[in-house]
Amino acid sequence: MTINFTEPEERVALREAVKKLASKYGREFVEKQAREGGKMTEMWLEMGQSGFLGVNIPEEHGGGGGGMADLAAVLEEASAAGAPLLMMVVSPAICGSIIARCGTDEQKHRWLPGIADGSLIMAFGITEADAGSNAHSITTTATRDGDEWVLNGNKTFISGVDEADSVLIVARTEDAKTGKLKPALFVVPTEADGFTRQPIPMAWQAPEKQFTLFLDDVRLPADALVGDEDGGLWQLFAGLNPERIMGAALSCGMARYAIDKAVEYAKTRTVWKDTPIGAHQGIQHPLAKVKIELEQARLLWQKAAALYDAGDDFTAGEYANMAKYAGGEVACNASDVAVHTHGGNGMTVEYGLANLLVAARLGRIAPVSREMILNFVAMHTLGLPKSY
């Protein structure tokens, strides 16, 4: 496979169009919605109507027919404009990818067009309080009962459930031959009987909220199962690799936003005489360093996306993990440098950087911690013994 170091003209044009749209909203809109308990609905629907949310969805199902590299570019540009859309990581990337690759024709026709145009939002539920995102340890179960499935369990830190029409839940079914539990995916309507949610108060201010979910004897029809109950982990990673790629792109966009704000401030802020602070190496070098880190992280997510789009799932997984790690690091480093460049102004509401410090930290934690990524690279890439 050949990986170019320049993006195709179509993606460059896509980036410019997204930048123009997202800039109409920007940081001020996002902060207003977060402060007042609002949502990103207006921007989300305009992004969907413009074809940006579904660029990775097949054309026959209402999407743009592109790949994960295109969708990640959309999210990076929106984030760089100060208006990240967290649910892009979830609805079109995770859920859209899984349904497009593993769903039946009827499931694709039912859900993908709405995911593509933004009229339907699907959340994703894997994380549990005692298992984290370890699919081998989740305890939410799905049991057959005639022509139905019955789900029981709970999930935590699930994004945007209050905005979603349904949640793609990772549960475990029992193998009839061995009795072992194995992961399977179910679309659960948010209005289903027995499905309840509880918001989690977060210090990070964002329009998208986090929830704990409770599933108590939630009954679903047979066709709520996405893919094959015997399909194994590959079906799950059809969505988790895109999640990591999108997480990296989101973090890179946040880093770009922080660096741009810091550079702008450093060029105009003067303290001693008429020389801007950006003329001093103590300001220049930290900014130059995070710029280099940013370009490294961007190359990693672009390679991961190219591998995923080429169908090389395992290698895509390696690079998606590395990209997510690098993105989380540079987002934290860039936001810290940006705050420091602004001095006291960096901690004010007016300049909008303090909340970015908390938001950027998310990239080191979710959807998988940087320590687990280091474990993955050590074991699968370097061939070292399993350490956990």
Side-chain angles (χ1 to χ4, degrees):
M1 183 186 69
T2 300
I3 299 177
N4 295 321
F5 287 93
T6 56
E7 291 186 312
E9 292 182 6
E10 294 83 356
R11 192 174 305 144
V12 173
L14 174 65
R15 284 182 177 276
E16 287 299 319
V18 173
K19 178 181 178 180
K20 182 178 180 181
L21 190 158
S23 296
K24 293 195 317 181
Y25 295 90
R27 175 181 66 84
E28 291 79 7
F29 176 80
V30 176
E31 291 184 349
K32 180 177 183 294
Q33 298 306 99
R35 187 171 57 251
E36 298 177 359
K39 303 299 179 187
M40 297 295 291
T41 306
E42 183 181 347
M43 178 180 170
W44 179 269
L45 291 176
E46 187 172 357
M47 290 277 283
Q49 291 161 4
S50 300
F52 299 149
L53 298 181
V55 290
N56 65 312
I57 303 295
E59 289 184 87
E60 60 266 33
H61 299 300
M68 195 51 53
D70 299 306
L71 189 67
V74 170
L75 181 56
E76 185 188 76
E77 290 303 322
S79 302
L85 291 171
L86 179 61
M87 294 308 291
M88 281 190 66
V89 179
V90 182
S91 193
I94 302 175
C95 301
S97 295
I98 290 174
I99 292 170
R101 292 186 63 177
C102 308
T104 64
D105 288 341
E106 195 280 330
Q107 288 170 340
K108 294 174 185 178
H109 286 297
R110 188 193 313 176
W111 289 311
L112 290 181
I115 289 175
D117 67 17
S119 61
L120 183 154
I121 295 178
M122 189 176 289
F124 180 69
I126 182 172
T127 311
E128 295 183 3
D130 295 326
S133 56
N134 180 5
H136 299 284
S137 299
I138 61 174
T139 58
T140 298
T141 56
T143 307
R144 283 187 179 275
D145 184 15
D147 294 331
E148 296 181 316
W149 290 96
V150 181
L151 270 63
N152 282 283
N154 59 79
K155 301 291 179 181
T156 193
F157 291 113
I158 309 304
S159 303
V161 181
D162 56 335
E163 304 175 57
D165 304 275
S166 56
V167 184
L168 185 59
I169 292 287
V170 183
R172 304 188 77 188
T173 62
E174 184 173 313
D175 190 309
K177 295 180 180 178
T178 67
K180 293 182 178 180
L181 295 174
K182 51 195 177 180
L185 300 150
F186 296 86
V187 176
V188 180
T190 53
E191 300 301 321
D193 290 339
F195 180 95
T196 56
R197 64 178 186 247
Q198 179 177 318
I200 302 172
M202 304 291 289
W204 165 42
Q205 294 183 358
E208 299 88 356
K209 306 305 179 187
Q210 302 295 311
F211 294 87
T212 296
L213 308 182
F214 303 93
L215 298 99
D216 298 304
D217 290 330
V218 175
R219 288 189 168 271
L220 302 172
D223 63 359
L225 173 70
V226 176
D228 188 343
E229 64 178 289
D230 297 314
L233 284 172
W234 85 265
Q235 297 179 139
L236 182 56
F237 279 92
L240 294 186
N241 285 341
E243 179 186 39
R244 285 150 174 71
I245 293 167
M246 292 290 281
L250 174 62
S251 290
C252 286
M254 293 170 62
R256 283 175 54 191
Y257 178 85
I259 293 170
D260 288 347
K261 292 299 180 184
V263 169
E264 179 184 1
Y265 189 83
K267 286 180 177 179
T268 57
R269 171 68 168 164
T270 59
V271 177
W272 307 111
K273 300 182 180 179
D274 295 325
T275 304
I277 61 173
H280 306 305
Q281 290 178 346
I283 297 294
Q284 290 182 350
H285 287 186
L287 289 169
K289 182 174 181 288
V290 293
K291 171 61 176 175
I292 293 170
E293 293 172 358
L294 170 62
E295 295 308 319
Q296 291 170 333
R298 296 184 74 202
L299 284 172
L300 276 172
W301 82 243
Q302 288 171 323
K303 182 171 183 176
L307 289 162
Y308 181 85
D309 291 336
D312 187 350
D313 286 337
F314 182 81
T315 314
E318 285 187 290
Y319 280 90
N321 275 292
M322 288 189 279
K324 186 268 173 191
Y325 178 97
E329 293 301 297
V330 74
C332 287
N333 295 343
S335 58
D336 184 65
V337 168
V339 167
H340 203 67
T341 300
H342 282 73
N345 284 332
M347 301 304 293
T348 65
V349 173
E350 177 186 355
Y351 283 85
L353 292 171
N355 192 49
L356 189 64
L357 282 171
V358 182
R361 196 64 177 76
L362 180 66
R364 282 179 170 168
I365 301 168
V368 60
S369 72
R370 59 180 179 174
E371 288 74 23
M372 286 305 298
I373 290 176
L374 293 174
N375 286 336
F376 179 93
V377 172
M379 184 170 69
H380 294 287
T381 304
L382 300 180
L384 295 171
K386 187 175 182 179
S387 62
Y388 59 96

